[in-house]
Amino acid sequence: MSDKSTKPYRIGESQIHGRGVFAARHISKGEFIIEYLGEKITKEESNRRGLEREEYAKASGDGAVYIFELDDKYDLDGNFEYNDARLINHACRTNCEAVLEDGKIKIYATRDIQEGEEILYNYGYAIEHFMDHPCHCGFPECVGYIVAVEDRKKLRRILKGRKPKRK
Ligand SMILES: [Zn+2]
């Protein structure tokens, strides 16, 4: 039995990238782990910050993007120290998912997670700019870039040099 009253996660050194978030105890499938905190901003402001970070990423090699889409009007910028969830790494094999719930982004376990395992979810970036987001997760199913699960086949075709068929 895991004690649900204690904080489920801790921050530590990741094998995948920089610092990561790890299970501090056993976490059950479906359990809420952490909320992705940040500043609610308009799409206009979001685009401005996105471009600014892209420039920074090109100059520094640190391609981190922390902006989540909330709805048609607003996004959430999680690039703040107080947002521990920004340290959760992407991987092509995951144990969590980000769920939009009442205007909040919450991270839930998609399977039982053992103490010490790294918390991982799919960032699900749009396939258009996949070259900007290489993945080094090291799992056998890694496609080499951070894209949504449903776009993996498409990306594999692109990487093979074959254009995906249009309907
Ligand atoms: Zn990967």
Side-chain angles (χ1 to χ4, degrees), residues 17-35:
H17 180 259
R19 284 184 297 165
V21 176
F22 295 82
R25 56 164 170 77
H26 179 271
I27 297 171
S28 305
K29 182 179 178 178
E31 201 182 327
F32 166 70
I33 299 171
I34 182 175
E35 182 181 342

Side-chain angles (χ1 to χ4, degrees), residues 4-5 13 23 41 49 61 63 80 89 97 113 115 122 149 159 167:
K4 301 269 191 296
S5 65
E13 288 299 313
I41 54 173
R49 291 187 192 185
F80 297 96
N89 280 308
E97 62 182 347
I113 302 169
E115 183 183 341
N122 191 311
V149 175
L159 294 173
K167 278 184 183 162

Side-chain angles (χ1 to χ4, degrees), residues 148-165:
V149 175
E150 57 268 28
D151 283 336
R152 274 188 202 158
K153 272 187 185 166
K154 198 170 157 189
L155 179 63
R156 285 206 178 92
R157 281 197 298 263
I158 293 170
L159 294 173
K160 272 185 187 167
R162 267 187 268 154
K163 284 225 168 94
K165 277 179 194 150

Side-chain angles (χ1 to χ4, degrees), residues 103-158:
K104 291 177 174 178
I105 294 157
K106 294 181 172 183
I107 313 294
Y108 288 94
T110 52
R111 63 162 170 80
D112 282 7
I113 302 169
Q114 302 307 312
E115 183 183 341
E117 270 190 76
E118 183 165 4
I119 302 297
L120 300 164
Y121 69 90
N122 191 311
Y123 289 0
Y125 290 157
I127 196 165
E128 283 82 4
H129 307 289
F130 73 88
M131 295 290 271
D132 294 339
H133 306 288
C135 181
H136 307 288
C137 74
F139 287 109
E141 50 272 74
C142 185
V143 280
Y145 296 93
I146 299 175
V147 294
V149 175
E150 57 268 28
D151 283 336
R152 274 188 202 158
K153 272 187 185 166
K154 198 170 157 189
L155 179 63
R156 285 206 178 92
R157 281 197 298 263
I158 293 170

Side-chain angles (χ1 to χ4, degrees), residues 44-121:
E44 193 183 1
E45 175 62 9
S46 177
N47 287 336
R48 196 190 64 75
R49 291 187 192 185
L51 289 172
E52 198 176 87
R53 301 247 172 85
E54 253 172 58
E55 287 305 311
Y56 175 75
K58 273 177 199 155
S60 67
D62 178 6
V65 181
Y66 299 105
I67 295 176
F68 252 98
E69 186 170 330
L70 286 178
D71 54 36
D72 294 347
K73 282 186 180 158
Y74 296 101
D75 285 349
L76 191 77
D77 183 358
N79 192 21
F80 297 96
E81 275 294 312
Y82 61 77
N83 178 29
D84 287 341
R86 79 190 191 289
L87 298 172
I88 299 175
N89 280 308
H90 162 93
C92 298
R93 181 186 292 180
T94 61
N95 50 27
C96 289
E97 62 182 347
V99 178
L100 185 61
E101 214 179 84
D102 302 325
K104 291 177 174 178
I105 294 157
K106 294 181 172 183
I107 313 294
Y108 288 94
T110 52
R111 63 162 170 80
D112 282 7
I113 302 169
Q114 302 307 312
E115 183 183 341
E117 270 190 76
E118 183 165 4
I119 302 297
L120 300 164
Y121 69 90

